Amino acid sequence: MEEEDLILSPSPYDLLFQALSLIPIRHYLIALFVLCTIFFYNFVEFHFLGDAILRYFRCRVNLICNPDSPLYHGVVSRCRILHGRYVATPWLASPHIQTCFLNFHGFPPVFTYTRQLFLTSDGGTIALDWLTNSDVLDGSLHNKSEITKEDTTPIAVVIPGLTSDSSSAYLKHLAYDTAKTGWNVVISNHRGLGGVSVTSDCFYNAGWTDDIRVVLDYLQHKYPRAPLFAIGTSIGANVLVKYLGEEGEKTPLRGAVAICSPWDLLIGDRFICRTLKQKLYDKALTIGLQGYAQLHEPQFLRLANWEGIKKSRSIRDFDNHATCLVGKFETVDTYYRKSSSTQYVGNVAVPLLCISALDDPLCTKEAIPWDECRANKNIVLATTNHGGHLAFFEGLTGSSLWWVRATNEFLGVLSCSPYMHIQKIVDKRSSGSGKQEPSINQGPYLNIAEDGLVAAVKYEQDTNKTTLKQRGRKPEEDVTKKSFKELCRQTKQSVWWLGYIGMVTSFPLLGMLLNYIFRKKQRPTTTSTS
């Protein structure tokens, strides 16, 4: 009888299934939605709930400096923004969404630069894009006016990031807001960027400081009464800090700001290959570098491994096949070690503000030289828990960048204080008098071809006054053969990769499916021959 009861009694799993079947389906859908929301919130590293609940503790700006730093006590202590809090735009409260949105749109102000071309002693061409205070006076564009030699208006020299030029959204924010504060701004584009062709066998890299050195020397002699300041962003920040460490007291700069510097390129190389999200950023930046190389294909064909460049799947691959060969570095790690600015931090002799976000998806906080910055009395390091890479959107509309406001406030206070750096005069009489220094007047003029590419052409010099005359001819075939439209296509590929990053971080399941399909299409096909 007991055995029959055991046989007829339902299984515990049957009872559990019957109990679960009594729960309405909408409750399962609600539970699934909650789980997906939690997964999505953590996957894209959203933090708006934490900002709302723990705003007082999590959003404060952390300042690291030497306890006896005169820069902190005399300048930074008077900066209200640096002693406040950074609260991200609620609908952009994610480092990945902030970074992608900055590259897609970024709400940049609308204005036009005044361009000058600078010819270096090795034949290279650098595009200097100017935006003066008079250009944006009273919120409207006025007639372009040249800066006189007697002008005492401070000049902010901006060094862009990797593959960025003056048209980038974050640089437009910086240039416009800085000009609105009463300064003159000049963006020193890297060689081969800004629509200007490469006119020598020398390319820029993450540790190339010669260009900013000659540009600052020119500006100092051209506008001797105007104080010079510098702002570096991303790779440009690494170049700036390295330059400051190399020059020490000899630099003409009165002060500087470094934004989102990678600091140690070797650590950054390891970091960007660590997770799926970082690898996607790596791929997007690699496509941008490949587009840069294709625009200047004739030079890279002669100086680098062109087949390796086309097959590069990471920044390290590109540096191995291009940067190391052009820059004469033995290995990629050698290039990263020699170009990292960390080793130059101790030699910085000018007031320097460094701003970094601890959740930067490209430049890891592991590379920040905390102790070196604390030991140098000329440096103040400001870190925020959030901000992404060069983003730091703030306000409900996300129409402004926090780091731009902090930079302008710091430079404004510094320029009115006695803590500005005074250049150490170096006796140059022992140097050869016959050496010709580069200048704007020696630079080529803009020649715009039918396809929109801006190329450098020769100039004509008058006996009384040096003038630049445009020659009505197309760019030389040995300079470049790639059209501006092709560069646009390459840029679109990089933008689509950034869009892919957004989809992966926003919709994980859809991103995994697209990633699988993309890999399947990229799988090389094999053909058999009989």
Side-chain angles (χ1 to χ4, degrees):
M1 196 65 183
E2 292 180 357
E3 293 180 357
E4 292 181 357
D5 292 339
L6 290 174
I7 294 174
L8 296 176
S9 62
S11 169
Y13 294 102
D14 293 336
L15 295 175
L16 179 61
F17 179 76
Q18 293 176 7
L20 293 176
S21 63
L22 298 176
I23 301 176
I25 296 180
R26 65 176 181 276
H27 291 182
Y28 287 107
L29 296 177
I30 293 174
L32 180 62
F33 174 78
V34 171
L35 292 176
C36 290
T37 301
I38 295 174
F39 176 78
F40 169 73
Y41 185 91
N42 288 276
F43 188 81
V44 300
E45 302 175 42
F46 263 119
H47 51 78
F48 63 85
L49 289 179
D51 292 349
I53 299 173
L54 303 174
R55 179 173 179 173
Y56 181 82
F57 302 98
R58 293 182 56 175
C59 300
R60 298 182 63 181
V61 180
N62 302 309
L63 298 175
I64 294 90
C65 63
N66 190 290
D68 300 324
S69 171
L71 175 63
Y72 175 80
H73 295 290
V75 179
V76 176
S77 62
R78 298 163 55 190
C79 295
R80 178 183 57 83
I81 296 175
L82 291 175
H83 282 84
R85 295 171 177 79
Y86 165 67
V87 181
T89 301
W91 51 278
L92 291 174
S94 162
H96 307 291
I97 295 179
Q98 282 211 49
T99 303
C100 292
F101 182 77
L102 179 66
N103 284 273
F104 275 113
H105 192 277
F107 296 135
V110 179
F111 60 87
T112 56
Y113 296 100
T114 300
R115 168 157 294 187
Q116 288 181 310
L117 290 183
F118 184 87
L119 182 64
T120 62
S121 58
D122 65 349
T125 305
I126 302 173
L128 299 179
D129 288 331
W130 288 86
L131 186 69
T132 65
N133 172 246
S134 61
D135 295 337
V136 296
L137 194 62
D138 298 328
S140 60
L141 297 179
H142 288 65
N143 294 330
K144 304 297 180 180
S145 59
E146 295 184 359
I147 305 174
T148 63
K149 191 172 184 178
E150 302 300 322
D151 198 335
T152 59
T153 304
I155 298 177
V157 185
V158 181
I159 311 173
L162 185 69
T163 68
S164 296
D165 57 23
S166 56
S167 64
S168 300
Y170 69 93
L171 291 180
K172 283 192 170 184
H173 276 285
L174 175 61
Y176 188 81
D177 290 357
T178 305
K180 287 279 290 183
T181 61
W183 288 40
N184 296 327
V185 184
V186 55
I187 299 179
S188 179
N189 294 285
H190 298 298
R191 300 189 183 203
L193 291 173
V196 175
S197 59
V198 172
T199 55
S200 70
D201 288 343
C202 185
F203 293 83
Y204 82 97
N205 57 54
W208 182 256
T209 58
D210 289 0
D211 286 351
I212 189 61
R213 183 175 288 106
V214 297
V215 167
L216 291 175
D217 184 66
Y218 160 75
L219 293 174
Q220 182 189 25
H221 288 85
K222 183 70 172 179
Y223 311 106
R225 301 189 61 185
L228 293 179
F229 298 83
I231 305 171
T233 58
S234 191
I235 287 296
N238 184 80
V239 172
L240 175 60
V241 176
K242 184 173 181 287
Y243 160 79
L244 294 175
E246 292 173 346
E247 292 296 295
E249 296 282 351
K250 297 181 295 181
T251 176
L253 291 175
R254 301 297 188 91
V257 181
I259 309 296
C260 294
S261 175
W263 296 107
D264 192 315
L265 302 181
L266 197 59
I267 295 178
D269 173 64
R270 305 296 189 264
F271 170 76
I272 205 168
C273 301
R274 188 174 297 172
T275 64
L276 172 63
K277 287 177 284 190
Q278 269 65 52
K279 289 179 180 179
L280 292 174
Y281 286 110
D282 191 13
K283 180 65 176 179
L285 292 174
T286 304
I287 292 177
L289 289 171
Q290 288 173 326
Y292 171 79
Q294 290 189 7
L295 182 62
H296 310 294
E297 182 177 348
Q299 287 83 357
F300 278 100
L301 279 172
R302 290 187 294 103
L303 303 173
N305 179 3
W306 183 249
E307 291 300 322
I309 292 175
K310 292 193 297 184
K311 296 179 181 178
S312 296
R313 294 294 178 265
S314 65
I315 298 176
R316 185 180 182 87
D317 290 342
F318 181 89
D319 289 335
N320 182 44
H321 298 298
T323 310
C324 289
L325 297 180
V326 176
K328 304 296 188 295
F329 295 100
E330 294 84 358
T331 65
V332 178
D333 285 355
T334 302
Y335 160 58
Y336 290 156
R337 288 191 179 95
K338 290 185 177 180
S339 300
S340 297
S341 61
T342 302
Q343 56 190 318
Y344 298 91
V345 172
N347 297 328
V348 173
V350 306
L352 174 64
L353 172 66
C354 305
I355 297 178
S356 295
L358 300 183
D359 65 351
D360 193 321
L362 296 178
C363 301
T364 174
K365 61 183 179 182
E366 300 170 10
I368 298 177
W370 304 93
D371 292 339
E372 290 86 343
C373 291
R374 185 179 291 107
N376 193 327
K377 295 181 180 181
N378 297 309
I379 298 178
V380 172
L381 172 64
T383 62
T384 59
N385 289 328
H386 308 296
H389 186 68
L390 296 175
F392 295 84
F393 287 99
E394 62 180 354
L396 294 177
T397 61
S399 58
S400 63
L401 306 183
W402 175 86
W403 68 265
V404 172
R405 292 197 305 116
T407 297
N408 288 332
E409 183 187 43
F410 169 79
L411 293 179
V413 175
L414 177 62
S415 63
C416 299
S417 73
Y419 298 97
M420 289 190 296
H421 171 257
I422 304 299
Q423 182 182 18
K424 182 179 180 181
I425 304 300
V426 180
D427 188 4
K428 298 183 179 180
R429 288 179 296 178
S430 59
S431 61
S433 59
K435 183 178 178 181
Q436 187 178 11
E437 294 296 332
S439 69
I440 288 292
N441 289 337
Q442 296 169 356
Y445 196 78
L446 286 177
N447 187 10
I448 304 178
E450 295 178 356
D451 55 11
L453 179 67
V454 180
V457 298
K458 296 181 179 178
Y459 64 94
E460 295 180 358
Q461 187 170 4
D462 196 294
T463 56
N464 296 325
K465 182 179 180 181
T466 302
T467 59
L468 301 178
K469 295 184 178 181
Q470 181 179 9
R471 300 191 182 264
R473 62 185 182 189
K474 295 182 179 179
E476 299 294 336
E477 292 182 358
D478 59 345
V479 175
T480 180
K481 294 182 180 180
K482 291 296 178 181
S483 66
F484 185 71
K485 294 180 180 179
E486 182 170 353
L487 177 62
C488 291
R489 288 196 297 269
Q490 293 295 329
T491 304
K492 288 179 181 179
Q493 291 183 12
S494 181
V495 170
W496 278 113
W497 266 99
L498 288 173
Y500 179 47
I501 296 173
M503 285 191 295
V504 170
T505 55
S506 302
F507 305 98
L509 297 179
L510 179 60
M512 294 173 61
L513 177 62
L514 292 176
N515 191 36
Y516 171 77
I517 297 174
F518 181 78
R519 287 187 177 182
K520 187 175 182 181
K521 291 184 178 180
Q522 289 289 326
R523 189 174 301 163
T525 57
T526 58
T527 57
S528 59
T529 58
S530 57

